[in-house]
Amino acid sequence: MGMEHLSEVLKILDGALKANASMASNYAGLLADKLEQEGQRAQARMVRERLARAPMALAMAQDASRGVSLGKLPADNDSRLNTVDVSLPSVEAMHLVLPDAISERLDDFVRGVRHHDQLASAGVAIPNRILIYGLPGTGKTQTARWIAATLGLPLLTTRCDTLVSSLLGQTSRNLRQVFDYAQQTPCVLFLDEFDALAGARGNERDVGELQRVVIALLQNIDALPDSTVLVAATNHEQLLDPAIWRRFATHIPMPLPDEAMREALFSRCLGGFIAPDVDLRSVAVLADGATGALIEQVCMDAKRNAILSGSNTVQRLELYRRLGLALALQMGERLSTKEQEVRWLRRWAESEFSLRALSALYGTTVHAMSRIIKGDVQDGQKTKTKQRKPAQRPET
Ligand SMILES: Nc1ncnc2c1ncn2[C@@H]1O[C@H](COP(=O)(O)OP(=O)(O)O)[C@@H](O)[C@H]1O
Ligand SMILES: [Mg+2]
C-alpha cells in the first residue's frame, strides 16, 4: 500500500476520530476495492476481514447490495422532506451526446479524479470540483449522472432550491447536513439548481440571509477534502457569486446540440421506430434550436403515439408535426387553435407541409386547408366543409 491510498486512509482516520463508524467502514470498503483492482488481493482481504468483524449494529446499517452505509437521509426541519437523493447510475443505461471538446474536458476531469492522489503527491492536483452551466434541457443533470457512473460512485443529488428554507438559519443548517452526510461515503455530491444557493444578488429574498448562505456555502466547500467529488449545475451562471465560481477548477458550458448531435439524438431516441421515408438528416436540420430534452420528448411522444395506434414506426409527417409544435412551445409561440398550428407548421417547414399533406394530417379538404393557410378562416372556427357557414370574411 502506498501514497496512492493516502486519501482513503485519511478518511478512515477522520471517521474514527469523529466516532463515525459508517464513514470509516465505507472508506475502508473503497480501499479494499482499490487494492483488489490493483491485484493486491492479500491486502484487500485483510481490510475486508476487519470490516466483517465490525460490530453488529454497524453491519445492520450497511446496504446489503453494495456494502455502503448511508444511514438516515438528511431532511429539512420545516417541510420534513429529504434534501438528498441517492442513486447508482450505470454507464450502460446512459447516453450522452456532446461536442468532442466538451467530452474531452469531461474525460480529463474524470481522469484527474481517478488519479487525484498521484497528482497530489506530485503537488499538481486540482480540487475535484466541476461546474456545469447552460440552458435547461441541455444535459447537465445527465452529465452529473455520467460522471458518477463512470467513476463507479453513488450520486448524492441535492436540489438546492429544496435546501432554501423560510426559517432563519435553517438554509445554512440544511447545507451543513448535506455536506456532512456526503463525507460519510465515497460519492459524487451533486448540487443541482445551484444558483438557488449560490446566487449573488438580484434576488428578492432578504439580502442579509442570502449573504449568510453564500458564506456558509463557501465554508462548506472549503472544508471538503480536495478528493471529494463535487458537481454543481445551473441554468443561470450569471447569477453565481464570483467567489463561488472560483471554487470550481473546471467549468463546462453545455451548448445546444449542433446538427450532427441532433441527428445522433434522433437516431438514438427513435431507434427501430424510424420509418423508411424519414431522413434524419433533414429532421436534424429543421430541429435547429432544439435542446436534447426537446428531441427526447418529441421522440418519446411520437413512439407512444405509434404504439397506441398499432404501428411500429413513427410516420414522417407525424414526427415533423410534433417537432414543429414542440419548437413553437420552446420559442414561446402560443398556438391555441388548429389554424394557428397549421400556419406555424407551414411557415416553419413549407416543403414538408404541402397543402395535401396538411389536409390529410388535419382531416380537411385541400380547399379548406388552403383557406386556413391564407388566413381566411377565423381561429377556432370549424373547418370541415360540411359544417362550414356561408363564407364570411374575418374583420381584418
Ligand atoms: N446532450 C444530451 N445527450 C443526451 N441526452 C440529452 C442531452 N441533453 C438532454 N438530454 C436528455 O434530455 C433530458 C433532460 O436532460 P437533463 O440532463 O435533465 O437537462 P438539464 O439538467 O440540462 O436541464 C434527459 O433525459 C437527457 O437524457
Ligand atoms: Mg437538470
Side-chain angles (χ1 to χ4, degrees):
M1 216 192 299
M3 262 308 276
E4 64 277 18
H5 301 303
L6 186 62
S7 72
E8 280 75 39
V9 174
L10 290 177
K11 290 278 201 179
I12 296 166
L13 189 59
D14 280 347
L17 294 174
K18 288 193 213 163
N20 186 337
S22 58
M23 177 174 181
S25 83
N26 288 339
Y27 277 94
L30 180 71
L31 178 61
D33 289 350
K34 281 194 170 180
L35 289 169
E36 189 135 47
Q37 277 162 24
E38 289 159 16
Q40 305 281 357
R41 295 232 177 68
Q43 291 187 5
R45 203 175 52 239
M46 284 163 69
V47 175
R48 291 235 164 80
E49 275 170 12
R50 269 176 184 69
L51 277 176
R53 277 189 255 122
M56 201 56 180
L58 175 60
M60 299 278 281
Q62 289 184 338
D63 182 291
S65 61
R66 268 204 129 213
V68 166
S69 160
L70 285 158
K72 197 164 166 289
L73 288 171
D76 180 67
N77 257 343
D78 191 22
S79 66
R80 313 300 317 159
L81 296 173
N82 287 338
T83 49
V84 170
D85 165 78
V86 182
S87 62
L88 295 167
S90 83
V91 218
E92 296 85 64
M94 188 87 48
H95 77 115
L96 196 53
V97 180
L98 294 173
D100 289 346
I102 300 290
S103 291
E104 277 165 28
R105 280 157 77 178
L106 286 171
D107 288 340
D108 279 352
F109 175 74
V110 166
R111 202 172 320 128
V113 172
R114 283 204 177 113
H115 300 283
H116 186 270
D117 299 338
Q118 191 189 342
L119 298 175
S121 58
V124 292
I126 47 169
N128 293 332
R129 302 176 196 150
I130 187 169
L131 178 67
I132 309 167
Y133 59 97
L135 293 173
T138 48
K140 298 181 296 297
T141 300
Q142 186 79 336
T143 302
R145 299 179 71 242
W146 178 88
I147 291 172
T150 308
L151 290 168
L153 293 173
L155 182 67
L156 268 52
T157 301
T158 287
R159 283 193 41 167
C160 293
D161 46 356
T162 65
L163 296 183
V164 176
S165 166
S166 53
L167 302 178
L168 192 70
Q170 182 62 36
T171 306
S172 303
R173 223 169 356 240
N174 284 343
L175 198 58
R176 175 83 251 149
Q177 280 182 359
V178 166
F179 275 76
D180 279 350
Y181 180 75
Q183 286 183 64
Q184 291 186 37
T185 192
C187 67
V188 173
L189 174 58
F190 174 37
L191 302 176
D192 207 357
E193 323 290 342
F194 194 47
D195 49 280
L197 281 181
R201 278 155 279 270
N203 194 305
E204 69 273 17
R205 266 166 44 227
D206 168 36
V207 175
E209 167 75 350
L210 201 66
Q211 278 169 354
R212 275 192 292 280
V213 170
V214 170
I215 290 167
L217 182 59
L218 287 169
Q219 287 170 345
N220 278 295
I221 294 177
D222 291 343
L224 269 186
D226 277 359
S227 57
T228 300
V229 186
L230 182 63
V231 179
T234 178
N235 304 332
H236 305 287
E237 77 278 11
Q238 72 288 355
L239 292 182
L240 297 190
D241 190 287
I244 303 263
W245 179 269
R246 281 196 302 273
R247 291 303 192 278
F248 290 83
T250 310
H251 301 124
I252 302 276
M254 293 300 271
L256 281 174
D258 64 17
E259 196 185 304
M261 287 163 60
R262 296 195 297 268
E263 189 176 337
L265 282 163
F266 273 109
S267 160
R268 171 79 201 220
C269 296
L270 286 173
F273 276 77
I274 306 165
D277 66 339
V278 172
D279 172 26
L280 286 187
R281 191 73 172 281
S282 355
V283 180
V285 170
L286 271 176
D288 188 20
T291 61
L294 181 140
I295 292 174
E296 192 176 84
Q297 177 221 321
V298 165
C299 293
M300 295 293 229
D301 287 349
K303 269 157 64 169
R304 200 171 303 124
N305 182 265
I307 292 168
L308 293 179
S309 51
S311 165
N312 53 11
T313 52
V314 167
Q315 294 312 303
R316 196 177 98 234
L317 274 186
E318 183 62 20
L319 181 62
Y320 277 114
R321 187 178 75 88
R322 284 177 187 277
L323 174 61
L325 297 182
L327 277 171
L329 200 67
Q330 183 180 289
M331 294 175 194
E333 287 275 342
R334 300 177 94 218
L335 306 178
S336 42
T337 63
K338 289 266 183 256
E339 290 75 13
Q340 288 172 345
E341 263 186 43
V342 164
R343 285 196 286 266
W344 160 268
L345 290 174
R346 177 84 172 178
R347 242 184 304 142
W348 172 64
E350 186 168 350
S351 59
E352 288 298 329
F353 292 104
S354 65
L355 269 181
R356 185 179 296 276
L358 278 170
S359 44
L361 205 55
Y362 283 85
T364 65
T365 62
V366 171
H367 176 67
M369 189 48 74
S370 145
R371 291 193 58 223
I372 292 176
I373 287 166
K374 286 196 204 118
D376 276 1
V377 178
Q378 269 178 336
D379 293 348
Q381 195 174 310
K382 289 270 187 278
T383 56
K384 298 242 166 73
T385 31
K386 269 190 287 185
Q387 296 157 333
R388 211 171 58 202
K389 294 194 199 109
Q392 199 180 16
R393 296 201 64 83
E395 308 298 84
T396 45

